[in-house]
Amino acid sequence: MKSEVVKDLKSQLHVITNKLSKEKMKPVKNNNFIKPTGGLWTSTYHPIYGSEWVQYSMNIGGILLPDSEFWDGYLLIPHKNARLFIIDGYQDLKELMDNFKIEMKLRNPSFYSPREDFTIDFEKLQKEYDGIQLTKKGLAETKTTYPFNLDGWDVESTIWFRWVFKKAYPIRQKFSYKESLSHVAL
């Protein structure tokens, strides 16, 4: 089973408007969807563009945007020994599902979304890992695949199952909009 201790994981950005702390982090729970409830979501921080999540939010607009031009959140520095399952392609997702899948009870295929018969057993996975990171390449290779896909994970991101950060800095910053992040190393 693939297990990676992350040695060079870059700073992570968690966008939030209220106070973040270890005590407020809720355990992950399966919820019959490709994402769990609980945990802590981050995306790799970029000092000018924020993160892929910030750029995605700017692109789709709506309630995801802050009330002002400044974004509030936390810059999180993971411990060097954080254990992440990294999905960098379809083969990684298949390996994950071969060991940590559960059947979804509700199947709702649509014209725009691929059929999803299985999801990740996050509750089981959290016993062995501190989180899952989906890379930009992994997102491109797993968004519309079958029988396993990560449709609904919209950007490069990490779901953390527990607090494995050596530092957490509050951040309030204005980020620039980039029409395409394909040339930006995030």
Side-chain angles (χ1 to χ4, degrees):
M1 185 68 194
K2 178 181 180 170
S3 172
E4 294 194 32
V5 173
V6 180
K7 294 187 176 125
D8 60 348
L9 184 63
K10 296 179 180 167
S11 300
Q12 298 290 297
L13 179 63
H14 176 72
V15 176
I16 190 170
T17 56
N18 53 6
K19 190 127 174 108
L20 176 69
S21 69
K22 179 180 181 177
E23 295 75 30
K24 289 185 177 182
M25 191 171 170
K26 294 186 179 2
V28 293
K29 297 284 184 197
N30 297 327
N31 70 348
N32 203 35
F33 184 59
I34 198 63
K35 292 180 181 176
T37 59
L40 179 73
W41 287 92
T42 64
S43 191
T44 302
Y45 174 72
H46 187 280
I48 296 170
Y49 303 109
S51 68
E52 286 197 23
W53 173 251
V54 167
Q55 292 298 309
Y56 174 78
S57 298
M58 286 180 177
N59 189 44
I60 66 168
I63 62 171
L64 303 174
L65 293 174
D67 291 336
S68 72
E69 59 188 357
F70 290 91
W71 291 79
D72 293 302
Y74 283 83
L75 190 59
L76 301 165
I77 314 299
H79 283 289
K80 298 278 185 214
N81 60 352
R83 292 175 42 88
L84 293 177
F85 190 98
I86 298 174
I87 301 172
D88 195 41
Y90 183 77
Q91 191 58 39
D92 297 330
L93 177 60
K94 183 180 178 321
E95 182 181 339
L96 178 70
M97 292 297 212
D98 286 346
N99 293 282
F100 297 96
K101 77 175 177 228
I102 53 176
E103 190 169 359
M104 293 177 91
K105 294 179 183 127
L106 298 174
R107 295 186 181 117
N108 188 16
S110 73
F111 178 76
Y112 299 102
S113 177
R115 186 171 137 191
E116 294 176 331
D117 293 334
F118 302 98
T119 190
I120 301 164
D121 187 341
F122 295 97
E123 293 173 30
K124 181 178 174 186
L125 186 65
Q126 75 180 334
K127 294 175 185 173
E128 294 185 36
Y129 292 91
D130 297 317
I132 301 172
Q133 182 181 52
L134 177 63
T135 67
K136 188 185 275 191
K137 178 179 174 270
L139 175 68
E141 291 187 18
T142 63
K143 193 144 185 86
T144 59
T145 50
Y146 184 81
F148 310 122
N149 69 71
L150 294 175
D151 184 46
W153 289 44
D154 300 308
V155 296
E156 171 275 329
S157 55
T158 303
I159 173 77
W160 299 93
F161 303 148
R162 63 188 57 80
W163 192 268
V164 289
F165 307 105
K166 60 183 175 181
K167 303 257 186 196
Y169 303 102
I171 187 171
R172 180 172 176 79
Q173 190 170 341
K174 181 178 178 181
F175 297 119
S176 298
Y177 177 71
K178 179 84 174 154
E179 286 197 32
S180 170
L181 290 179
S182 61
H183 298 97
V184 177
L186 289 176

